[in-house]
Amino acid sequence: MAEARQTQRSATGWLGFEGRGVLVIGAGGLGAASARALAEAGARLTVVDADEARLEALRKDPACAGADVTTLTADLTSSEECERVVTTTARELGGLDVLVHAVGMNDRRPVVDTPDEVWERILTLNLSSAFWIGRAAGRLMREAGHGSMVYFSSVSSLLAHRHHGPYAASKGGLDQLVKVMAREWAADGVTVNAVAPGYTETELTRAYLARPGMREEMTALVPAGRLGQPEDVVGAVLFLASARASYVTGQVLYIDGGRTLV
Ligand SMILES: NC(=O)c1ccc[n+]([C@@H]2O[C@H](COP(=O)([O-])OP(=O)(O)OC[C@H]3O[C@@H](n4cnc5c(N)ncnc54)[C@H](O)[C@@H]3O)[C@@H](O)[C@H]2O)c1
């Protein structure tokens, strides 16, 4: 196992993650895949989620078991808690080089049937937590004179999927927030980018894809002829988070097997 990890590290060595302090927000399908890859690349990680079971699964994952990975349980639906998470993590890591924001939720229903509570819950987690975490991390990174942030947007930021009112609004808003933060912090050596996956098989999409005929219907919309897997996002996350992408900022990279081309 140690040998395998060593081989992976040398393969990703050119990205320069050895010893870097990384905060990963979210231990779901895409956050955990990103965290595993960053751990294998030699980064020192703190991973945050509200669900302790997911954090425990990640700690036990072979990719993280021998690496420098700590976890923090937190509910990211308030400004205060987001500030606390960033401050605590930066103190424990001795600075913050990279932020990956990978929490989000959806609740599919027509706009006319969407109560205020659902709108607010989705906007708070998907967009407000991105703002609160980004603002706190941005202050530290600007002061340090370097840093990179990668957010999880979605094809829903571009396409008008039915029954995605709050989710699409949160992701469209996120894309603009990413661009404004990127512009404001470019001169301080801080980059801010987003990856925008298409339908990817995680807990977020599991129940929806289990509906009769839905998997086939969704797959038919993808020119590549398959749905995404969590590992499909990893290369882009690592690149955008790395020093190799230091002149790339304010971009939204679609990882969707061509879904947004049709
Ligand atoms: N899976 C997809 O098809 C897909 C496609 C495009 C974009 N995305 C985006 O990628 C990101 C990650 O999605 P995923 O597929 O990994 O989802 P997921 O459901 O597997 O993981 C989401 C994680 O967020 C955590 N979480 C929920 N509420 C929280 C809270 N209040 N505080 C802290 N943590 C909380 C959950 O415990 C879970 O671990 C999201 O922003 C999502 O919108 C996913």
Side-chain angles (χ1 to χ4, degrees), residues 19 59 126 168 206:
R59 286 195 300 272
N126 296 12
R206 190 181 52 76

mmCIF file of all heavy atoms in Angstrom, residues 19 59 126 168 206:
data_model
loop_
_atom_site.group_PDB
_atom_site.id
_atom_site.type_symbol
_atom_site.label_atom_id
_atom_site.label_comp_id
_atom_site.label_asym_id
_atom_site.label_seq_id
_atom_site.Cartn_x
_atom_site.Cartn_y
_atom_site.Cartn_z
ATOM 1 N N GLY A 19 2.859 18.547 1.112
ATOM 2 C CA GLY A 19 2.910 19.410 2.291
ATOM 3 C C GLY A 19 1.968 20.602 2.250
ATOM 4 O O GLY A 19 1.909 21.369 3.216
ATOM 5 N N ARG A 59 -11.881 8.640 6.538
ATOM 6 C CA ARG A 59 -10.682 8.389 7.363
ATOM 7 C C ARG A 59 -10.182 6.959 7.188
ATOM 8 O O ARG A 59 -8.994 6.693 7.214
ATOM 9 C CB ARG A 59 -10.997 8.638 8.858
ATOM 10 C CG ARG A 59 -11.124 10.108 9.235
ATOM 11 C CD ARG A 59 -11.056 10.302 10.755
ATOM 12 N NE ARG A 59 -12.090 9.607 11.491
ATOM 13 C CZ ARG A 59 -13.309 10.092 11.775
ATOM 14 N NH1 ARG A 59 -13.634 11.312 11.383
ATOM 15 N NH2 ARG A 59 -14.193 9.384 12.455
ATOM 16 N N ASN A 126 -25.918 25.747 -0.863
ATOM 17 C CA ASN A 126 -25.176 25.753 -2.137
ATOM 18 C C ASN A 126 -24.454 27.072 -2.405
ATOM 19 O O ASN A 126 -23.356 27.071 -2.951
ATOM 20 C CB ASN A 126 -26.128 25.485 -3.309
ATOM 21 C CG ASN A 126 -26.760 24.096 -3.258
ATOM 22 O OD1 ASN A 126 -26.673 23.411 -2.240
ATOM 23 N ND2 ASN A 126 -27.407 23.694 -4.323
ATOM 24 N N ALA A 168 -30.648 25.440 -9.767
ATOM 25 C CA ALA A 168 -30.056 26.146 -10.914
ATOM 26 C C ALA A 168 -29.709 27.585 -10.533
ATOM 27 O O ALA A 168 -28.653 28.107 -10.930
ATOM 28 C CB ALA A 168 -31.024 26.129 -12.096
ATOM 29 N N ARG A 206 -28.616 9.525 -6.558
ATOM 30 C CA ARG A 206 -28.939 8.089 -6.471
ATOM 31 C C ARG A 206 -30.443 7.818 -6.574
ATOM 32 O O ARG A 206 -30.877 7.030 -7.411
ATOM 33 C CB ARG A 206 -28.392 7.529 -5.149
ATOM 34 C CG ARG A 206 -28.438 6.013 -5.050
ATOM 35 C CD ARG A 206 -27.893 5.537 -3.708
ATOM 36 N NE ARG A 206 -28.521 6.206 -2.579
ATOM 37 C CZ ARG A 206 -29.744 5.947 -2.108
ATOM 38 N NH1 ARG A 206 -30.460 4.994 -2.668
ATOM 39 N NH2 ARG A 206 -30.254 6.609 -1.091
#
